[in-house]
Amino acid sequence: MRPVAANRGGSRGLRFGSSAIPFFDDPLVPFFTYQWSGDALVLDAPFLETLERIEARYPDRRSAMLPALYLLQERDGYITPEGMQALAAHFDISPMAVYEVASFYTLFHFSPPGRHQIQVCRTLPCALRGAGEVVTHICNRLDIDVGERTSDGTFSLQTVECLGSCDTAPMMQVNDLYYDNLTRAEIDAILDELRDQEASHTKRPGPDGY
Amino acid sequence: MVDAPSYGVGTDWRRFEPVLLRLMDVEGSETLSVYRDHGGYTALEKALAESAPDELIELVKDSGLRGRGGAGFPAGLKWSFIPKDPSLPKYLACNADESEPGSFKDRYFIERDPHQLLEGMLITSYAIAAELAYIYIRGEFVHGTRVLERAIDEARQAGLIGKNILGSGFNCEVYVHRGAGAYICGEETGMLSSLEGMRGEPKLKPPFPAVKGLYGMPTVINNVETLACVPHIVQYGAEWFKSIGTEKSTGPKVFCLAGHVERPGLYEYPLGISLRDLIEEVGGGMLGGRPLKGVIPGGSSTAVLPPDKLDTPLDFESVAEAGSMLGTASLIVMDKTVCMVKAAANLAHFYSHESCGQCSQCREGTTWMAKILDRIEAGRGRKEDLDTLLDMCHSMKGTTICFLSDSAAIPTEAFIAHYGEEFEQHINEGRCPITPVERLR
C-alpha cells in the first residue's frame, strides 16, 4: 500500500520478516494514499467547544489552525484524512489547504507512531557528546532502525533536530518529556521503565490544554 | 532615581551578580508570589504610573538594548517604527521559537522565570500601545507551555493581565501560541505566517512587521531575553544598563555554553567577557583537558572561530571583527577529536531539513551542500567539490526571502576557510583521517 514512501524513505525501506515495522512520517504519504471522501464530516460538540474557546483568542479564527491540529492529533493519535476534512469544513477551506499546513510541521504525524515516541536530538551540540551512539544503542536494544516502530507498537524511534537542551547533551524526548545527560545505563533504565509502564497499562501522559 | 540594585554592577565579570538569571535557582521561581517577593512587577507599576509610552521607547533606545535573538537590532528603535495612528490595532509577538542549535536560554527563561518575561511583555505592549500579545513558543517545549499558561492565569487573576491593568486604564491580553516543529518559524515573518494559521513561510521584507505584521497590522517581534531585560531597564534606568557591558554592546547577556567543555550551561555576564575566560574559567576548561580545535560563537548559523581567536571579547562588534557573529551567544566548543567535515555536514543536514522550500537557492543549495559534505566525509569527495561548495555558498547569500540560506552558507564557508586542509585530506586520502572517539558513557 505504501511503496512510494518506502522508496523515498532513504535508509532501509520495508523490512519484511523482521520484528520491526516501518513507521512512516513522511508527509508525502497521505498525498499518495489518502482517499478523500466527498462526505462532509462534523466535529463533535466537546471538540468544537474547546476549539471555539481557542479561536476567541485571535482576531482571525484561522489562527487556531495549529491548535486545532493538535486537538485532532490528541484525539485520534495522529492526523487522519477524516479529521482534516472535518477541520476543512469547519474553517471553510479545502481539505488540501488543511493538509498543506499540517504537512509543513514535523510535530504532526500522518500514521500512528509508537505509544512511546523516542526522538533523539542529532544536531551538532548533541552529536559532539555522543548522540550518534545513543541512536545506535537504542536501535540495537529495540531491534529497529531509525524511522521504525517496534512490532508491538510500543516504541517508535526518530532522530530530530536541536531540541534546545544543548547543555545537557546527549538528550532525547520521549512523548512530552526530556531525558538528558544520557548514558548507556540510563537509556536502558528508561526503556525498561517505559516497557513496564506499558505492561501495567498506565495511561500515557498526553499534552494537556491543546 | 531609585536605589541602585545590588546586582548587575560594572563590567568586571568576576564580580558580576546575575540580573536576568537571578531567580533561576530559587525554589518556586515560576510562581507569582516568589517573583513578587523578589520585587517583581514593580517595574510594571512604575511604568504605568510614571511614564508615557513614548518615554518608555526613549528609555529603551537610550539604554542601547540590542535584540538578543540573533540579529542584534536595537530594540528601542524597532519599537519606535510602530505607527502612532490610534485607529490601527497593534500587536506584540514574543519570539520563543528557540531552535538555533546551541541555544537553550529561552527555554530556561520560560520554565524558570516566566513572570520576568510577562512583565517585560506588558511594559513593551504599553509602550507600543498593543492590546494583544502572543508568545510563540516552540512546539517541543511542552513543559514550558504549561508553565507559561499557569503564569498567565496567575497574572490575570492578580489583575496584571486583562482589562484596566493595575487601575491604569491600560488593557492587554497575553496568549501562548504553540508552534509545531519548524525552525523557520523563528524567522519573524515565518513566525507571523504560522501565527496566522498558515505554513510558516517567511515573507519578503519590506514591508517590515513594524508596519505590516500580524494580520497586516503593526507588530513588534522581540526575543524572550530582549523582553526579559525591559523590566530591569525600567526599574534601574538606562544609565545603569549602559554601565554593564561595552560602549556599543550594553547590558548583561546570557551565554549558552555547550559542546566539549567541562561545565556546559547557562551563564550570565556583561557583554565583552572574553571567549577564553568563558571557556577556561566559567566553563571549567576543555572536556578531558583536550586542546581546542574551534568554537562556534553565536549558534549554528555563525562562522566557526579557530583557537587563535580565543581572546576575542564576546560583544557584537568584537565578534564581527573576528570574522563571525555574536548571534544568540550560544557557544559550541569543539576539541581536537572532532572531524570538521563531519561537523559541517551535521549542520548542513540541519539546514537542509529546515529549509521551507520557497526559494530554489536555499531548497537546492542546502540539500546539495549536505550531500556533497556527506560525500567528502565518506571518502568519496571529488577534487572540484570544495570549489563547488564555495561557489554554491556564494550564490546562496543574499538571494533569498529570508536569512536561512545565508545561515547555511556562512558556517560552511567558515569551516572550509579555517579547516580547508582537513577537507582536502579527506578528498586526497579517500577517507576520514580522524579516529572516532567513544563519547557516550
Side-chain angles (χ1 to χ4, degrees), chain A residues 94-107:
Chain A
S94 77
M96 196 48 87
V98 178
Y99 169 54
E100 189 183 74
V101 174
S103 61
F104 187 84
Y105 299 94
T106 55
L107 292 188

Side-chain angles (χ1 to χ4, degrees), chain B residues 293-309:
Chain B
K293 187 165 186 177
V295 52
I296 300 176
S300 67
S301 309
T302 60
V304 61
L305 294 174
D308 62 11
K309 301 282 188 196

Side-chain angles (χ1 to χ4, degrees), chain B residues 87-91 192 208-220:
Chain B
S87 68
L88 292 176
K90 295 154 193 91
Y91 303 108
L192 295 179
F208 288 92
V211 181
K212 250 178 154 25
L214 193 59
Y215 312 113
M217 294 301 157
T219 306
V220 162

